Amino acid sequence: MPVLFLLFGTTFIWAMLLVCNRIALTSFDIDPYAMTCWQLVFGGIALVLLAPGRSIPWRQFTLPINWAYGFLRVMTGVTWTASLLYISAPESGILSQTGMPLAALAATFVLGRAPGRYEWFGHAILICGALWLAWHLPGGFGNPAVLLMLASEITAISSSVLAELHPDNQIKDTWAHLRFTGVLLLITASIFLIVPPLIALISPVPIPYISTSGLFGTETLIAGLLIGILFRGPAMVLSLRSIKTAGIEKYILSTSVLPFVLLGLEMVAAQFGLTPMPTHDSVFWISSLLVMIGIIQITVSKHRHAAKRRAQDRIAATAATPENAG
């Protein structure tokens, strides 16, 4: 049960982060690129300084795997935030479901954990839900948000694989893990500052706001400080802990409820005039229904597959006992 709370707590914090980003983008004079950078800076510093008296883990700043992770997180954050300029947060949540089949492929070919045979049917339904929504967006599949969210999910899954394999994500010391997470956030922020031209070059669509020109805007700094400490840092901590505890597949599966959490939070924000009131038509609800059916199919399949493997393991253990061996 604690693992379940951890997984859905992680999803809720990410939903809060996304909705707060959308509020900042739609209601205030915020530079999106600079705000994301400051979120990482302030969130990272807060985590590194959480354990007074401990030395700063400088070695972490020299590890190539940390910089690779940071770059992937930069691309994930930039592309998802950019998509919010074209679609609502709940719509971005629907498109993000393409991450689930990508996670299954990564688990199969990289981590050596192939899903059950019937689980792929659930992934196919999820993809249908995302495609249905994308097809009905303004411009259809050519809408910038479609490519941006696909890029976001590819880089998110890649960084999640790195996180599961990262030896420093396996440490049990809570304070050391917090500081390790803070270092990753600071590295990611450094990449934000260093390589805007590279991000613009490899982005699937032009992103007009990739620039450090608005770095020191007052509202941008305040938004980065508050969202970074309250949501970005905790979201990163919980994500790494979830991946470590449950594995990438269950972590991504738990985020499948993100569109519905986002919808509820965005409706609350709209009641206070912070975001436009979401007005979703039948296309959104059909997509949501397909996503939900896919989630149910994947969950049931995972449960049956796990039960089958446990039964096989018990049979194998019984067959290997001395009395049976003789």
Side-chain angles (χ1 to χ4, degrees):
M1 188 60 71
V3 174
L4 191 62
F5 284 130
L6 172 64
L7 290 170
F8 285 100
T10 303
T11 300
F12 181 77
I13 291 295
W14 274 113
M16 289 291 295
L17 171 65
L18 289 168
V19 171
C20 287
N21 278 343
R22 182 156 169 79
I23 291 171
L25 290 172
T26 57
S27 301
F28 300 95
D29 184 22
I30 298 294
D31 182 299
Y33 191 83
M35 178 189 65
T36 306
C37 181
W38 284 122
Q39 287 177 18
L40 296 164
V41 170
F42 289 122
I45 290 174
L47 292 175
V48 169
L49 298 179
L50 268 177
R54 300 196 179 204
S55 59
I56 296 176
W58 297 111
R59 180 186 69 87
Q60 295 284 352
F61 288 97
T62 66
L63 299 179
I65 189 174
N66 289 350
W67 287 88
Y69 181 89
F71 178 75
L72 291 170
R73 293 306 304 174
V74 166
M75 289 305 301
T76 300
V78 166
T79 48
W80 194 319
T81 302
S83 75
L84 297 177
L85 297 173
Y86 303 97
I87 56 177
S88 69
E91 287 172 334
S92 75
I94 291 290
L95 294 182
S96 74
Q97 299 311 304
T98 53
M100 293 187 66
L102 290 174
L105 290 172
T108 301
F109 296 106
V110 180
L111 302 174
R113 296 195 300 263
R117 181 174 55 184
Y118 295 105
E119 187 177 323
W120 293 110
F121 181 60
H123 290 298
I125 297 173
L126 279 174
I127 292 173
C128 288
L131 289 176
W132 179 258
L133 178 66
W135 184 33
H136 288 86
L137 290 174
F141 296 118
N143 188 297
V146 176
L147 288 175
L148 286 167
M149 285 305 304
L150 181 60
S152 181
E153 289 308 305
I154 290 173
T155 52
I157 297 305
S158 300
S159 66
S160 296
V161 171
L162 278 185
E164 180 165 342
L165 298 176
H166 200 306
D168 289 318
N169 195 34
Q170 313 307 317
I171 53 180
K172 296 182 179 179
D173 185 333
T174 300
W175 294 112
H177 192 268
L178 289 176
R179 294 163 76 80
F180 159 67
T181 307
V183 168
L184 290 182
L185 286 171
L186 291 174
I187 287 174
T188 306
S190 301
I191 296 173
F192 261 83
L193 292 173
I194 295 169
V195 293
L198 177 59
I199 295 172
L201 179 65
I202 65 176
S203 172
V205 300
I207 303 178
Y209 65 77
I210 291 189
S211 166
T212 56
S213 59
L215 200 61
F216 296 103
T218 302
E219 292 187 352
T220 298
L221 273 167
I222 293 173
L225 172 66
L226 294 176
I227 298 175
I229 293 177
L230 295 176
F231 300 113
R232 177 71 69 172
M236 186 71 166
V237 171
L238 292 174
S239 292
L240 291 175
R241 185 67 66 182
S242 296
I243 293 169
K244 170 190 173 183
T245 305
I248 181 176
E249 307 97 298
K250 290 182 180 177
Y251 166 66
I252 298 299
L253 179 61
S254 70
T255 65
S256 61
V257 300
L258 186 61
F260 311 105
V261 179
L262 284 169
L263 179 60
L265 291 175
E266 197 165 88
M267 290 180 69
V268 172
Q271 291 294 328
F272 291 93
L274 297 174
T275 61
M277 177 61 74
T279 54
H280 299 299
D281 56 13
S282 59
V283 171
F284 176 83
W285 295 113
I286 290 172
S287 300
S288 300
L289 178 62
L290 289 171
V291 166
M292 183 58 68
I293 293 172
I295 292 168
I296 294 171
Q297 170 65 25
I298 292 170
T299 303
V300 171
S301 177
K302 277 186 176 297
H303 179 74
R304 289 177 176 172
H305 186 60
K308 182 179 179 181
R309 293 197 59 169
R310 286 194 298 268
Q312 291 173 342
D313 290 342
R314 284 196 296 269
I315 293 172
T318 302
T321 56
E323 56 270 24
N324 291 328

